[in-house]
Amino acid sequence: MGSFFLGLARLLIFIGFVSFFSIVFYFSSFFRSNEINAKKALVLRDFIIRTSNTLLGIRTIIYGDKPKVQGLIVANHRSYFDPIVIVNQIHAFPVGKKEVASWPMIGYICKISGVLFVDRKCPKSRQETAENIREVLAKGYSIINFPEGTTADLPTTLDFNYGSFVMATKIKAAVIPIAIDYKEKTDAFIGDDTFIPHFLKCFGKRTTEIKITYFPPIYSEDAACLLSTSKKMIDNELIRYRKDWDNQN
């Protein structure tokens, strides 16, 4: 019962916190240029994400060196919280499914802070996203993509989609693999999970332990090589994480 009340308190504080700053930003944006709004939105996003990680009791264990070059970050996908954890560590723009744009609060913050939404079933949408990715990389920022296309709680990753890796070869961008996982398997957001029950369960704990590994950038003109190399790196790291956690019990 205590965990339920902790999760509920965090949810209410999170809603109030995000709502307040979203409203302030929304009304103040009428008095600024689009360029200034974009910069302010990035500052607001980073502040909200940094504070949210602390508020929700996130404990992140990091392996490897954070990337010093911009590129196409490819990571396995466990939860809607994955990009929040990654963006708390490095400056990057996630690619998200279009449905997220309609989520209360989260969708608004995503939209004002540069998340690239894509309808994977629409070729035109995919092409527009590809052009947006080129623009973001040209400005010196990285892109976060989840090539599994959905979340999972399996020991290793689902099959990767080729699209991200083909794009990397076309625009000659580095591919930066990242592995991420949660100590509690039930923290994965999968299947028929809905946001509020999952939030209460995940963040009702005093701390949520998350491991993340940054791998060195990979360069290749062969999309299949980029895919297989990234997947192998991430899979091996996920297996290592779980062994380490199991040995703690």
Side-chain angles (χ1 to χ4, degrees):
M1 184 63 70
S3 62
F4 171 80
F5 285 114
L6 176 58
L8 182 61
R10 282 175 166 166
L11 177 62
L12 294 175
I13 293 171
F14 177 74
I15 291 173
F17 171 71
V18 174
S19 298
F20 173 77
F21 284 100
S22 298
I23 291 170
V24 170
F25 180 86
Y26 177 76
F27 285 106
S28 62
S29 66
F30 291 110
F31 306 98
R32 298 191 297 254
S33 67
N34 289 337
E35 182 178 354
I36 293 177
N37 276 334
K39 293 179 179 179
K40 293 290 185 181
L42 199 56
V43 173
L44 174 64
R45 182 197 74 170
D46 291 348
F47 170 70
I48 289 177
I49 287 175
R50 185 169 57 252
T51 305
S52 295
N53 273 263
T54 301
L55 171 69
L56 300 178
I58 302 302
R59 178 171 173 256
T60 308
I61 301 171
I62 300 174
Y63 301 96
D65 297 323
K66 297 177 185 178
K68 295 182 173 61
V69 299
Q70 75 271 15
L72 194 60
I73 294 170
V74 293
N76 62 295
H77 206 7
R78 295 299 199 206
S79 169
Y80 55 82
F81 209 73
D82 296 345
I84 296 177
V85 176
I86 296 172
V87 170
N88 190 44
Q89 306 293 331
I90 56 177
H91 240 150
F93 293 88
V95 175
K97 58 184 181 180
K98 67 172 186 176
E99 290 83 1
V100 175
S102 62
W103 287 11
M105 296 181 302
I106 298 293
Y108 177 72
I109 295 298
C110 289
K111 283 186 281 189
I112 67 173
S113 60
V115 172
L116 307 179
F117 293 109
V118 59
D119 180 355
R120 291 186 173 90
K121 297 179 181 179
C122 174
K124 182 179 179 181
S125 177
R126 293 200 302 269
Q127 181 58 38
E128 290 175 350
T129 301
E131 295 301 323
N132 290 334
I133 287 174
R134 288 189 179 91
E135 292 178 9
V136 171
L137 291 173
K139 292 178 181 178
Y141 297 107
S142 290
I143 292 291
I144 303 171
N145 197 22
F146 299 97
E148 291 172 286
T150 187
T151 54
D153 62 351
L154 300 176
T156 55
T157 57
L158 301 173
D159 290 339
F160 281 5
N161 295 316
Y162 267 97
S164 302
F165 304 96
V166 171
M167 177 176 296
T169 61
K170 288 182 178 180
I171 62 180
K172 302 185 185 304
V175 168
I176 305 169
I178 287 181
I180 182 171
D181 207 355
Y182 299 67
K183 183 177 181 178
E184 300 297 330
K185 294 180 181 179
T186 54
D187 287 343
F189 185 77
I190 57 172
D192 297 327
D193 284 347
T194 52
F195 179 77
I196 292 180
H198 178 270
F199 186 101
L200 297 176
K201 177 180 64 177
C202 184
F203 300 115
K205 306 186 299 295
R206 186 177 295 276
T207 60
T208 296
E209 184 176 314
I210 303 173
K211 289 188 176 184
I212 183 170
T213 299
Y214 298 102
F215 295 101
I218 304 171
Y219 298 88
S220 176
E221 296 181 357
D222 184 345
C225 176
L226 290 173
L227 185 154
S228 61
T229 302
S230 299
K231 192 175 190 304
K232 184 177 180 180
M233 286 178 169
I234 294 171
D235 284 347
N236 288 340
E237 198 70 348
L238 295 178
I239 293 171
R240 183 181 74 84
Y241 289 167
R242 190 52 54 190
K243 285 183 179 179
D244 288 347
W245 278 320
D246 289 343
N247 289 335
Q248 292 176 11
N249 298 329

